[in-house]
Amino acid sequence: MSDRVHLIYNPERECMSRDELHAWQSARLRETVRREYDNVPMYRARMDEKGVKPEDIRSVDDLRYLPFMEKTDLRDYYPFDLLASPQSEIVRIQGSSGTTGKPIVAGYTRNDIDVWSEMMARTLTAAGCTRDDKVQVAYGLGLFTGGFGAYQGADRIGAMVVPMSSGNTQRQIMMMKDLGVTMLCCTPSYATYLGETIREMGLVPGRDLKLKAGCFGAEPWTEAMRQHLEELLGIDACDIYGLTEIAGPGVAFDCLEKHGMHINEDHVIAEIINPATGEPLPYGEKGELVFTTITKTGMPMLRYRTHDICSLTDKPCECGRTFARMSRITGRTDDMLIIRGVNVFPSQIESVLIKTQGVAPHYMLVVDRVNNSDTLEVQVELTEEMFSDTVGHIENVRRYISEQIKSVVGISAKVTLNAPKSMPRSEGKAKRVIDNRKI
Ligand code: DLL
């Protein structure tokens, strides 16, 4: 039980009963399936092939009869063949460069921008934002949805928006200080970089800055990283999740309880499936997250496989919201590394590194194949204090990290400790893995 004050942007929707929600979702699902069947030839063909007609889908319970959609569909039907509205209705294109593969694009109608803005207004409000706040948007403003999403949400609330986009770190900090910015929106890796630079500039967050919370997402991060950022910046660090295909950021968001992200279930239906068989899994079980949009009109997505791995719960939350929550994303079915037969998620290694004294949270995993056997090298940066310490201590750090990785992940790794500030910093989504086996 926490004594937090929970602000809720749209209590009527965010706190509706699960029964009301079921009826709400079912009605909108029926409309969306009809719209998709009538307007998107690819999906109509896929339903016909499965022998499913729009009238067979009467409620959320029938969702499982619908065929899946995949990221490859967005490439195969690029750029406009998945639109369920005429192009003249599309008022915005956003895209994702992602960290893997070619870019994909999504078209939004005025309605879709409205829905997305509402989802982001709820997200920022849940982190404590009101119209009296000053919101620095340090996600990229462009085709990437991060910048526009945060901007639209803060604008909807009526807060003061500082649309910096990513990069130009010293200038970001100058504005943060001079304007008295209270909320920061960027990737967790960029927040780390900003935090370090703030300290290097001799600024102390609680004294020189007015930051109180951050909405960090667009890439996987860990609980350990949350604690690190909260201490570094003296703020509440909230996780925020989303993807271009579904809406952008704000599909799900942390409230200040920080016990899983509330999914905006009046706009999307979430399922967890077994990634190997496609079978739906019950609440509590970990698997691949699948989304169906039920209020989007431009490019609705039905049973879209995200490849993100997490679990869901509909247990009540202290904040009063009734929307189900998703756990942190622990990896992707396609960024999961298989090293000597062992499944390895970069997030497992990150938690080991963050808990280790003497190293900074900047790391890279390099996977290779030598003499037909996989190798893993973990490169991580030493802190200034550790770097200037005696070699004996540095050796202890290396040994400690190796032992921890062996015990947490189950495989041995070569640990390389690099000099402070020698590893690349990220202003957007961080690249954490180099897999030389694929080349
Ligand atoms: O990254 C949207 C976004 C912007 C979310 C800003 C949050 C904040 P895409 O570029 O399409 O959209 O990438 C979507 O990023 O499938 C996940 O693999 C990953 N991702 C997004 N948020 C999180 C998060 C944006 N909080 C892909 N934790 C998704 C872990 C995340 N992974």
Side-chain angles (χ1 to χ4, degrees), residues 266-423:
D266 54 337
H267 295 297
V268 297
I269 304 173
E271 296 172 89
I272 295 288
I273 60 162
N274 174 331
T277 63
E279 276 308 302
L281 295 173
Y283 282 142
E285 280 193 38
K286 216 177 196 189
E288 181 179 341
L289 183 60
V290 171
F291 281 114
T292 298
T293 65
I294 49 172
T295 51
K296 249 168 69 138
T297 52
M299 199 179 86
M301 300 301 287
L302 294 166
R303 300 199 86 200
Y304 181 69
R305 293 185 64 156
T306 64
H307 290 278
D308 290 323
I309 300 162
C310 70
S311 62
L312 303 180
T313 176
D314 63 351
K315 291 210 177 90
C317 178
E318 290 293 333
C319 73
R321 289 176 183 80
T322 48
F323 288 159
R325 285 168 290 152
M326 56 185 265
S327 67
R328 268 181 188 289
I329 302 288
T330 50
R332 286 180 55 82
T333 52
D334 51 5
D335 84 350
M336 182 178 77
L337 297 163
I338 304 182
I339 301 175
R340 298 193 289 276
V342 178
N343 294 351
V344 179
F345 290 101
S347 59
Q348 293 175 300
I349 311 244
E350 178 180 300
S351 8
V352 167
L353 297 177
I354 296 226
K355 285 182 201 144
T356 307
Q357 288 271 322
V359 297
H362 301 289
Y363 65 94
M364 184 71 85
L365 312 183
V366 184
V367 189
D368 215 333
R369 185 162 289 136
V370 179
N371 298 332
N372 291 323
S373 176
D374 298 331
T375 59
L376 169 65
E377 180 186 358
V378 177
Q379 301 178 351
V380 63
E381 217 179 80
L382 286 166
T383 58
E384 298 277 2
E385 303 84 71
M386 185 49 73
F387 193 59
S388 51
D389 206 314
T390 59
V391 177
H393 278 120
I394 295 180
E395 258 323 297
N396 287 344
V397 171
R398 195 199 313 276
R399 194 164 335 111
Y400 176 78
I401 295 174
S402 288
E403 284 165 7
Q404 286 297 306
I405 291 176
K406 178 92 187 148
S407 103
V408 173
V409 186
I411 57 165
S412 37
K414 177 182 172 203
V415 177
T416 305
L417 300 175
N418 291 332
K421 315 251 172 311
S422 61
M423 301 197 60

Side-chain angles (χ1 to χ4, degrees), residues 71 95-98 104 139 144-146 215-221 239-245 248-250 261 306 308 329 332 429:
K71 201 182 267 292
S96 168
S97 53
I104 52 110
Y139 285 117
F144 173 56
T145 52
C215 291
F216 305 132
E219 64 187 7
W221 52 311
D239 198 356
I240 119 172
Y241 172 85
L243 56 169
T244 315
E245 303 87 310
M261 291 177 274
T306 64
D308 290 323
I329 302 288
R332 286 180 55 82
K429 289 178 194 259

